[in-house]
Amino acid sequence: MAKSWEATAIAASVPRRNPVVLETTHPEANSSTKWLRLNNSSATTDEPSSGATKLRRMLFETNELIVCPGVYDGLSARTALELGFSGLYMTGAGTTASRLGQPDLAIAQLHEMRENAEMIANLDPFGPPLIADMDTGYGGPIMAARTVEQYIRAGVAGAHLEDQVLQKRCGHLSGKKVVSQEEYNARIRAAHAARVRMRSDFVLIARTDALQQYGYDECIARMKMARDEGADVGLIEGFTSKEQAAQAVKDLAPWPLLLNAVENGKSPTITVDEARAMGFRIMIFSFATLAPAYLAIKETLMRLKTQGVVGTPKNVTPVTLFEVCGLKHSMAVDMNAGGASFKEGV
């Protein structure tokens, strides 16, 4: 059997790496010859914590509720970074809608999801950790393992793996079907083994969508089995009441649970304060940026169609938007390298 979640949490999956040693001179060069790229560097430097390590420490070394707005592209992610959230969540529904213009019906596959997650995770690789949707793992155990491996290489801190059939749908739609417990266990087992092979602190989140089809007790049973196979966190999708959500935390304690907050979805609206009081450890808001973006875009385009103007507020200039997306950093890179592209400003 795979390592228990308790052991995984305590051991943090992998031993810490030793500091990186940097040589300031080539071993065959004389003392007066230096490689410019290492001039004035310190003799040693500690490797920065990965997003996965940050997320694991937040989970198991603090008691805070990790609130993650759902982001789906570079601008929504940059805006969340600007506001200082402690974590981000890449929504599968948002990725499918923004990149493919399609509904969340298993249309986006590993390539689209990994590519989008890698872009978001590396906007600020030293910033808040990114949790991503990995759907069903996009196939059997081999694909579930491959998805974890690719997400780890992409810089994703953690992801949730669900038990829906491969022809899945958004967790807040009706008519969901799930695979057998045995088949789901195989997915979790393969995903856990993959992150152990990769020596990563990657946080594996087990998600069940069995509530619609089989009821609450089946969800608890599936979560306990996923926990015993090495999953770090649990996610029961589509709670039907606040009381049911609070009970799940109690029934699975002290194993940490994640709450997916989808306003106007299948579940009642639960606030951050309510989730914190219930004992949830992570809270993701899957449609936090996607739904408001749709409303704002539609309103603006309607104004353009009817009034002939966009109506952008005067304080929102092209420079403002570019600064959100890292304009000052790009200018600094050019100027520090001796470039003159921005000597007259922008």
Side-chain angles (χ1 to χ4, degrees), residues 108-254:
Q109 294 296 304
L110 174 56
H111 170 71
E112 290 94 357
M113 297 289 283
R114 183 209 57 77
E115 189 175 72
N116 202 37
E118 183 174 35
M119 179 272 294
I120 294 171
N122 288 282
L123 290 174
D124 183 358
F126 306 105
L130 176 70
I131 297 172
D133 189 347
M134 62 181 283
D135 296 315
T136 61
Y138 313 104
I142 295 172
M143 280 304 299
R146 188 165 186 263
T147 300
V148 168
E149 291 167 356
Q150 291 206 16
Y151 272 26
I152 290 171
R153 294 188 185 101
V156 176
H160 57 75
L161 177 62
E162 68 195 53
D163 58 357
Q164 283 198 57
V165 297
L166 294 184
Q167 190 58 45
K168 62 147 290 179
R169 60 190 62 185
C170 171
H172 287 261
L173 296 178
S174 299
K176 295 185 294 182
K177 303 294 182 186
V178 297
V179 299
S180 67
Q181 290 185 2
E182 292 74 18
E183 186 172 344
Y184 184 50
N185 281 355
R187 291 180 188 174
I188 293 293
R189 200 175 295 124
H192 173 67
R195 55 96 176 264
V196 170
R197 285 196 304 274
M198 296 287 287
R199 300 185 180 182
S200 171
D201 280 336
F202 184 84
V203 174
L204 178 60
I205 303 163
R207 164 178 156 175
T208 181
D209 288 73
L211 192 59
Q212 279 187 4
Q213 190 175 358
Y214 293 120
Y216 178 78
D217 290 343
E218 175 71 10
C219 290
I220 296 299
R222 288 183 178 228
M223 289 290 91
K224 287 181 177 178
M225 286 194 293
R227 176 195 65 192
D228 293 343
E229 292 294 347
D232 300 294
V233 180
L235 163 57
I236 297 176
E237 185 68 293
F239 287 119
T240 58
S241 69
K242 293 182 180 181
E243 293 75 18
Q244 188 179 67
Q247 188 61 47
V249 175
K250 295 176 182 177
D251 289 342
L252 292 165

